[in-house]
Structures are given as C-alpha cells and as structure tokens.
Amino acid sequence: MLAERRHQLILRALRSGGPAAVTDLSEQLGVSPATIRRDLVKLEEDGLLTRVHGGAVADEGDQPFAEVAEVRVTEKDAIAERAAAMVSDGQSVLLDIGTTAFRLARQLHGRRLTVITSNLVVYEELADDEGIELVLLGGMLRREYRSLVGFLTEDNLRQLHADWLFLGTSGVRPGGQVMDTTVVEVPVKRAMIKASDKVVLLADAAKFPGTGMAKVCGPEDLDVVVTNAPADPATRSSLEEAGVEVVEAGKVRE
C-alpha cells in the first residue's frame, strides 16, 4: 500500500473513531507497527494529528464554522478589539474567512468604513449597518465554513484594493510560516495579501503552532501579528527578524 493511501486511511480512522493505538492501526492497515509510527511522525509534522503515548489523535482540521465559533470566544474578542483599533474611519478593510474575523466585524459597527469579504457570516453581521460600504466577493460556496472560494473570488480581488487585510490562520510554524488546513482557501488568502497595503494576522495562542498542511505565506508577507499570548521564542524571533510587529491583546502598544 502506498504511503499516501495509508495516510488517508489513518486520518479517516482517527476522525471517525477517535484516538487509536499504533497496534490497532497496524492491524487495520495490515502493515507493521514501525511503518505506522513513521506515518504518524509524518502526519504530525504536516499538522494533521497529534501523537500520544502508544498512538495518535486527529487534530481539529476543517471543522464547520458553527463549531469553531464557540471555541475561545473571549480570546478572539480581545484580539478583535485590538485589531479594530488599528483602523481609521474612511479606510477599506478586507476580512478573511474564519471566526476571529467575524468577531472583528462585530467591533466595526458604527464606523465609517468599506469592508470587503468572502466571509458570509461577516456579510450577515454588517449587512444592516448603513455606515459601512459592504463588498461581498463572488465565488463558489463552501457551505460548512460559510465562505466563498475559487477563481471568481480571486478575480474579484485582483480588481480591488484594501488598506488593511485581517488574515486568519490554522497555524503558525516556528519559522513564521502561515498555514491553513484547507487547500482551496490558500489561493484566496494569497490574493487577499496582494490586494492589501497592510497585512495583519489574527492568531490566538492555540495557533502556535496550530495545524495546517498548506502554506499561505511567509513572515515577510506580514506587517503585524495580533495575538492573545506571547508567541514561542522561536516563532517570535522569526517574525521579528522579518520586520513583523507582534502585538499582544490586552497590552498597551508603546
């Protein structure tokens, strides 16, 4: 059996049945425990699972929006409040998919702004706010995650410009690379970066290192990271070497 096929079967088993032991996976797939252990190391490096004593558990991956929205709300609100304070009235703001961007949208009520988004929950939040010029990007609908993706979304972005992009992520590697769990979202995120003057990454403490197998960008593409907790020393060093400002929500900027 090819390694790629084994990896698919391992992830399917973990996501459907929960944590599994090496011996159980070995029996299910008909390969040696040593082969399973090597597979688990590779899948953990790719951010798709976490090894535990004697086996592994699948990471969150691409959960439906409604599930993710209920997690770490206080932390996301702190990040959103700090991010909203960066924006001046009259500016244009590009909001990525994701639940932290949705929390940020809630902080923008009553402002005089242009908001551009492919995030349907952001659209629904701001649709009745008459002070906000709201631009909804076109594209194919990802129903579970309430977002629009694909070449139509990317084409729309090539025709637009934003003063600020507030970018979400599944994880930030120690080298400062921004990752995502869903390959189809990556071209849209990259198009958003190209369409924006300033790129701000919104990342709560769980995103260091978080998950994700697909690279969105490197630290050199970021201007600011807003987080609710100090990044680990290796990640902070990588970000600062690339000229990225790390802003901790709840602390006063000097």
Side-chain angles (χ1 to χ4, degrees), residues 84-162:
M86 297 179 178
V87 181
S88 300
D89 280 2
Q91 291 188 314
S92 53
V93 178
L94 183 52
L95 294 184
D96 190 13
I97 68 157
T99 56
T100 309
F102 164 58
R103 308 305 300 187
L104 173 54
R106 289 189 157 188
Q107 298 283 337
L108 300 180
H109 281 296
R111 305 285 299 276
R112 185 174 57 82
L113 300 167
T114 297
V115 175
I116 307 163
T117 191
S118 60
N119 187 330
L120 293 179
V121 185
V122 168
Y123 166 77
E124 292 165 0
E125 177 68 27
L126 299 176
D128 295 328
D129 192 321
E130 296 183 358
I132 292 178
E133 294 288 341
L134 188 56
V135 179
L136 181 64
L137 301 168
M140 294 291 293
L141 176 63
R142 282 185 65 210
R143 287 181 175 82
E144 284 296 299
Y145 212 70
R146 309 295 302 281
S147 66
L148 296 163
V149 297
F151 74 93
L152 291 173
T153 319
E154 297 162 46
D155 283 349
N156 283 179
L157 285 163
R158 280 190 279 269
Q159 300 175 58
L160 296 170
H161 168 268

Side-chain angles (χ1 to χ4, degrees), residues 108-251:
L108 300 180
H109 281 296
R111 305 285 299 276
R112 185 174 57 82
L113 300 167
T114 297
V115 175
I116 307 163
T117 191
S118 60
N119 187 330
L120 293 179
V121 185
V122 168
Y123 166 77
E124 292 165 0
E125 177 68 27
L126 299 176
D128 295 328
D129 192 321
E130 296 183 358
I132 292 178
E133 294 288 341
L134 188 56
V135 179
L136 181 64
L137 301 168
M140 294 291 293
L141 176 63
R142 282 185 65 210
R143 287 181 175 82
E144 284 296 299
Y145 212 70
R146 309 295 302 281
S147 66
L148 296 163
V149 297
F151 74 93
L152 291 173
T153 319
E154 297 162 46
D155 283 349
N156 283 179
L157 285 163
R158 280 190 279 269
Q159 300 175 58
L160 296 170
H161 168 268
D163 296 306
W164 295 91
L165 164 62
F166 292 97
L167 185 69
T169 182
S170 301
V172 184
R173 293 290 180 261
Q177 296 88 3
V178 179
M179 310 299 290
D180 201 270
T181 55
T182 310
V183 173
V184 72
E185 293 285 358
V186 172
V188 175
K189 289 176 181 284
R190 289 175 177 169
M192 287 181 171
I193 291 170
K194 289 181 180 178
S196 306
D197 282 344
K198 294 284 187 180
V199 179
V200 181
L201 183 69
L202 309 177
D204 62 55
K207 303 300 176 67
F208 298 94
T211 59
M213 58 178 289
K215 179 180 174 181
V216 175
C217 68
E220 66 278 359
D221 296 306
L222 304 176
D223 295 288
V224 183
V225 172
V226 183
T227 183
N228 66 307
D232 66 90
T235 308
R236 179 178 284 272
S237 177
S238 297
L239 293 169
E240 291 177 347
E241 286 177 9
V244 181
E245 180 183 7
V246 179
V247 176
E248 294 177 25
K251 290 190 175 182

